[in-house]
Amino acid sequence: MKGSTKTGLLRGLIAAAVSIAMLFGLMAVEYYLNPDNQAAQSSAAQTAETPAVPAVAEAEPISADANAAGAFQPGTYTATANGFGGPVDVTITIGDAGGIADVVIAGQGETPDVGGAAIPELRNQIITAQSADIDGVSGASFTSGAVKEAAANALALASGQEIETGPKAEGDNLFIPGTYTGSSKGFGGDVEVTVTVSEMAIEDIQISGDHETENIGSFAVSMLGERIMDAQSPNVDALSGATVTSSAIMRALQQALTEAGADLSRFPAPEEADPDAPKTDETLDCDICIVGAGGAGMTAAIKATQAGKNVILLERMPYVGGNTTKATGGMNAAETHYQAEQGIEDSVQQFIDDTMEGGHQMNNKDLVTVMAQNSAKGIDWLDSIGAPLPKVSFSGGATNARIHAPEDGSGVGAFLVTRFLNKVNELGINVLYDTKATELISDNGTVVGVKAESADTNYTINAKAVILTTGGFGNNQDMIVQYRPDLEGTVSTSAPGAMGDGIVMAQAVGADLVDIEQIQLHPTVEQGTSMLITESVRGDGAILVNQEGKRFTDELLTRDKVSAAELEQTGGYAYILFDQRLRDGLKAIEKYVSIGITVQADTIEGLAEQIGCDPATLSETLSTWNQAVANKNDEEFGRDTGMENDLSVAPFYAIKIAPGIHHTMGGVKIDTQAQVINTEGKPIPGLFAAGEVCGGVHGGNRIGGNAVADIVVFGTVASESAVAYCDK
Ligand code: ADP
């Protein structure tokens, strides 16, 4: 994927919206949430010589054993590399026997909770390895990279080598003009950054790499590029929710700039924003204010702008996409031209029936009918904005092949969000990033605007109509526990902005809620990374086995049933199993392999060993399954879809998975016009809502592929209703 920068509206908005304190806070949060980071943190904490404030790791006496004989010349050597917030100095003392006797690392500019906390551990790693070739500390990859680089240079000096410092820009110039490329390891592979510089400025930046592995798309990465261009510095804030990718980009950029002759110490560390600084007040006017730039919000914004309305789109994160970015499967739609072209028989009625049955008949059938009836039109609209979804296949809970995905099998969410954002930018829609809506403005029961805040501004946005598209509350543990105490502590696949803000704001103006306790667990979530293994893996033929190596369910039952079946197995988890043929046919699998959550073996027995189950049992499970595929008859569990290919092409793969919070199905009550309904059953004038913030469409269980259908169809309905309301 490519992310590139361009000047313009976005750039100015982003520059205005950056909040250093917030991002540092979020990075720290991410650090503590990641189990690897907890391990790193505790290992640092257990180190006896760890100082209380570890931005500098002071020397403690090192045992004589550490002075392993080596090729180094006794003495003390210092080298510097650029860390997250400025230079990191590594001073290495070589003992008489030629081994590393001591290491002092000074990185005062590193984020205290992240890079700073990692420094004592990095010091220990160098001493233990007697080398600069160390693992580093996950979650503090920026600091780790700087320490490794500086340590390698210090050891090069200790070996009598000259350190290659490269050419230097002359005089006051910052760079030697030209185009330079750097690369660094990101979440799932190498990230490459190519910069074009003049003597005093970064003129262009191109960033490439598989950013979707961190569930951000090229749009988020291009925003980081915008920040770098605005700051004209490699020292900018990471993207919250994507710090590993951000760090890799920064390292690659530093490498490229160093090649360009830059002295990195000339670029100041980002200044911390003053949280107590007074905010300015700003009043804006528009026809329609749309709160939340996920799939529903961007659909509504595009449609309303095309209908001639002046739109302001608010987004609390520094980038668009929300949970929509994370949608991996596709969009359910019936009676589409793609189905017709592929000879697939399906009907709107069957779509309604499947959705109602999947939702345990708890769904609002009127809303389901609107979604199903307008789904084919939604597919046509996506075609028209350059976001075609031609690949049609089976998905759990659907009688017919109905889930529509991108041609190349890539995740539907990032695919759509990238294209929605292109359209939003093309139409010049005013998107306020890092701007959180806090309150709906109500005038005698009619909604007439939104209050919102960014790092430096309090906004009053007057609007003729407001559309809430703030998504769900899967990331708000307090709300989860409030409505579903039994789910306390369950991992969530939700995006950082899924905090339930829209639900709280709507309730404050009298909105009713529906099915709020209906929270969907997704059955295939890798627990260490919270990464969701797309339903398409099972749809294309994968099976689930328990720790004993046995299948235990029809893998394509609805998500609630499969999740419940998993929770009954030993340890409450399972393994999803597939083969090389399946991997070859599904691009999404590449990221699972590249981030290391798969295990693989050339034989079934070998795979059994990898996952610690009985080889004979797993082998028998596979041959029974392959026979069922051949006979098109699964006698054990009655599965009858996703059986086109057996699992027989080596190597074989497994991913350990368990249920995770995936979608909050309940929310604000709406009618078929997407008007928000109050507790007396009446529409609240001026207020509309669409997408995951609403309840009623999915009932007690959402079928895979219906979230995208929901956002496209109801994003459109809400937009049309708001436009009509403005024109009244
Ligand atoms: P959907 O597309 O179903 O509406 P998403 O999760 O894709 O849901 O998008 C919701 C978006 O709303 C996210 O990008 C999220 O960051 C944003 N959002 C949530 N709360 C607020 C808020 N208070 N102000 C502005 N944006 C918000």
Side-chain angles (χ1 to χ4, degrees), residues 424-472:
V424 163
N425 289 338
E426 186 189 309
L427 293 171
I429 295 172
N430 187 2
V431 189
L432 300 187
Y433 291 91
D434 284 312
T435 303
K436 178 180 152 185
T438 52
E439 195 184 325
L440 296 170
I441 306 170
S442 172
D443 179 14
N444 274 330
T446 297
V447 171
V448 293
V450 179
K451 292 213 168 191
E453 60 184 29
S454 70
D456 54 14
T457 309
N458 288 322
Y459 291 99
T460 299
I461 301 168
N462 299 313
K464 292 179 192 149
V466 173
I467 304 177
L468 284 177
T469 47
T470 46

Side-chain angles (χ1 to χ4, degrees), residues 292 294-296 315-317 321-324 435 437 469-471 497 501 692 711:
E315 173 50 56
R316 68 174 278 166
M317 300 302 292
N323 267 357
T324 303
T435 303
T469 47
T470 46
D501 296 350
E692 196 179 344
I711 61 175

Side-chain angles (χ1 to χ4, degrees), residues 243-263:
T243 50
V244 177
T245 300
S246 300
S247 297
I249 290 169
M250 297 310 183
R251 278 197 307 278
L253 174 64
Q254 289 185 357
Q255 198 187 335
L257 292 182
T258 304
E259 291 258 318
D263 174 357

